[in-house]
């Protein structure tokens, strides 16, 4: 639902200011993270175990990197507009 709202209002200033590409990446990988437990249903074999570990690890890594990138962007933006600085 949130991804749909972002896509619907993609040209508004709020979505543009929120770093559209990072927001799309974060929302998609969070969706993948929430769907990852479905991979653990059923009898495990070597192929599904490798798929489970790779998917969970990759999605979690991308989520953490995206959150860190968004946080660094905010820190840089506030550092540039710090009161009393030229």
């Amino acid at each position: 639902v949130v991804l749909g709202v972002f896509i619907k209002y993609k040209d508004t200033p709020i979505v543009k200011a929120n770093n559209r590409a990072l927001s799309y990446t974060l929302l998609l990988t969070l969706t993948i993270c929430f769907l990852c437990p479905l991979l653990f249903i059923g009898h495990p074999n070597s192929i599904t175990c490798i798929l489970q570990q790779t998917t969970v690890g990759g999605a979690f890594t991308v989520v953490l990197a995206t959150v860190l990138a968004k946080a660094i962007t905010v820190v840089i933006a506030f550092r540039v507009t710090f009161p009393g600085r030229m």
Side-chain angles (χ1 to χ4, degrees), residues 22-64:
L22 281 177
S23 296
Y24 291 157
T25 304
L26 181 63
L27 290 170
L28 285 173
T29 52
L30 279 174
T31 303
I32 292 170
C33 280
F34 284 121
L35 294 176
C36 279
L38 297 176
L39 292 172
F40 293 95
I41 296 174
H43 295 289
N45 58 29
S46 61
I47 294 173
T48 57
C49 285
I50 293 171
L51 180 66
Q52 291 166 354
Q53 292 173 358
T54 305
T55 305
V56 171
F60 189 70
T61 302
V62 172
V63 166
L64 285 179

